[in-house]
Amino acid sequence: MEKYQKLGKIGEGTYGTVYRGVIRDSLDSIALKLVRLDDEDEGVPSSALREISLLKQLKHPNVVSLYDVVHSSGSLVLVFEYCDLDLKKYFDNVGGEIDSMTVRSLMHQLLSGLAYCHANNVMHRDLKPQNLLINTHGHSAPQLKLADFGLARAFGIPVRCYSAEVVTLWYRPPDVLFGAKLYNTAIDMWSAGCIFGEIANSGKPLFPGADVDDQLKRIFKVLGTPSDEMWPGISSLPDYKPFPYYNPITSFRQLIPSLCANGRDLIQKLIVCNPVNRLSAEAAMRHPYFQAYV
């Protein structure tokens, strides 16, 4: 740790406290995630080990960089590149409507980071504005990076059963809300769609549910209540229960008034109840919404 100097506290991560710091030689800013190791515990938390192993293999402009890991008695320190703030704080700082080019840029960067993770067999499983870091200094437009991979999982063959206790409630897809344990990268695509709507609505969440039932009700009031015809197998999900029938809203313009027609078309292809029908990150990046941007 003599290479680094710890400065003020930034916040709390999934399993540790995050501080701002500097590299002593260069004075470059860094973020230090301090994981306290309980003597009675069985060593390093699994979420920390998972984040370290995954981030060591993920190198992309839209994924936060892990520079170093320092293990000392009683603690483990993860040394990350420093970012100014997270997307949630960015919303608070902007304090008004985010211009359409910035919305498009942030969404393209989110999809770019996700496409890279998914191509490398990694599901994030906890996408939300607090886990998306933003750099504003030295950049003409905000630079977005996926962070906090404590719940991320590598996936592949054979198919595995995963925990349904993932993804913060407001960004959790209906299949996982109904207890699905067999899922794939579509879990991240639902969250990305929710975040897209939130960016376009200047920080106002699409589905701010109070609990699982309220969350599902809010989703179905917008998308319509799914049936076995629309979503084969829904009624056999572990926590499935019938909901009142709601008609889908006729126009997404009332939900996200600032989005153009192409933007509304893209979000409707991401927030789809049946995970099989959700657009992949790679396909979403080719959507006409981004043609003027790329």
Side-chain angles (χ1 to χ4, degrees), residues 1-2 4 6 15-19 32-45 48-49 52 68-79:
M1 276 301 292
E2 60 272 6
Y4 310 109
K6 187 171 78 174
Y15 49 80
T17 309
V18 184
Y19 297 88
L32 301 164
K33 187 183 276 192
L34 184 69
V35 184
R36 298 210 178 278
L37 307 178
D38 191 339
D39 289 338
E40 296 173 16
D41 203 5
E42 295 178 2
V44 181
L49 289 173
I52 292 164
D68 195 4
V69 180
V70 182
H71 191 194
S72 60
S73 59
S75 71
L76 185 74
V77 180
L78 280 60
V79 183

Side-chain angles (χ1 to χ4, degrees), residues 6 15-16 22 40 53-54 63 65 67 107 158 192 251 254 291:
K6 187 171 78 174
Y15 49 80
V22 292
E40 296 173 16
S53 64
L54 291 176
V63 176
S65 294
Y67 292 152
M107 189 57 191
S251 170
Q254 65 198 76
Q291 278 179 357

